[in-house]
């Protein structure tokens, strides 16, 4: 459903938010290790998210990545998906057709419209804070 970059971005953001809630700034290597993502790829994804101002990137020996309280509460999963993958997931055809609508639907159109609407609604209403609290409490995990 998500690209690999988007999967890595979501996991990284959850981890960064959880560490930021504990007052810690994290380096790329730590993010990669605790989210189960390759370090070079993680750096590229986090650079994209930082450019979209979804997290803070601090340079230097005491640098790393962090999120402030406002970001944690305001950044929605949909923001991360849009920054990395664009809005295709929320607007595109299930089969990838360039034109698919109610007048000329693909074979999956009628079933997929409601699923896509529900997914978009969930991703627009879920903050990174919501998921980070589950990680901190131990109710959820990022890697197996």
């Amino acid at each position: 459903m998500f690209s690999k970059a988007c999967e890595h971005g979501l996991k990284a953001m959850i981890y960064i938010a959880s560490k930021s809630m504990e007052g810690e700034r994290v380096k790329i290597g730590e993010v990669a290790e605790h989210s189960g993502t390759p370090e070079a790829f993680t750096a590229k994804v986090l650079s994209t998210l930082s450019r979209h101002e979804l997290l803070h990137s601090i340079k230097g020996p005491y640098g790393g990545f962090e999120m402030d309280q406002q970001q944690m509460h305001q950044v929605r999963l949909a923001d991360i998906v849009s920054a990395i993958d664009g809005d295709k997931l929320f607007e595109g055809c299930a089969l990838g057709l360039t034109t698919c609508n109610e007048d000329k639907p693909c074979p999956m159109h009628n079933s997929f419209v409601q699923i896509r609407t529900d997914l978009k609604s969930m991703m627009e209403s879920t903050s990174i804070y919501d998921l980070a609290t589950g990680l901190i409490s131990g109710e959820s995990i990022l890697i197996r």
Side-chain angles (χ1 to χ4, degrees):
M1 174 167 56
F2 302 116
S3 70
K4 283 293 180 196
C6 192
E7 287 176 11
H8 293 321
L10 289 165
K11 290 190 288 185
M13 289 288 284
I14 294 167
Y15 182 74
I16 291 167
S18 71
K19 298 311 278 184
S20 294
M21 291 167 84
E22 297 171 351
E24 296 179 30
R25 184 178 298 151
V26 292
K27 303 233 181 255
I28 287 177
E30 183 181 346
V31 176
E33 178 184 341
H34 292 332
S35 62
T37 61
E39 193 170 322
F41 196 45
T42 300
K44 182 178 176 183
V45 170
L46 291 179
S47 176
T48 298
L49 295 170
S50 180
R51 276 194 313 273
H52 281 87
E53 299 180 356
L54 300 179
L55 75 160
H56 298 293
S57 172
I58 293 87
K59 304 225 186 279
Y62 300 103
F65 293 92
E66 66 184 11
M67 296 180 77
D68 60 44
Q69 286 292 321
Q70 183 178 357
Q71 283 175 315
M72 285 186 255
H73 288 280
Q74 287 184 342
V75 173
R76 304 289 178 204
L77 299 182
D79 299 325
I80 299 165
V81 173
S82 293
I84 297 172
D85 285 348
D87 291 330
K88 185 177 179 183
L89 176 67
F90 304 128
E91 298 168 3
C93 170
L95 296 178
L97 301 178
T98 54
T99 37
C100 176
N101 55 43
E102 289 182 30
D103 296 332
K104 297 263 185 191
C106 76
M108 293 179 61
H109 181 80
N110 293 329
S111 299
F112 188 66
V113 168
Q114 188 59 52
I115 293 167
R116 185 178 60 202
T117 301
D118 292 345
L119 178 64
K120 184 176 183 180
S121 176
M122 180 276 295
M123 296 195 89
E124 288 177 339
S125 64
T126 304
S127 72
I128 205 70
Y129 176 86
D130 298 333
L131 300 182
T133 56
L135 188 64
I136 289 172
S137 72
E139 293 176 20
S140 60
I141 61 171
L142 288 177
I143 58 175
R144 294 199 186 267

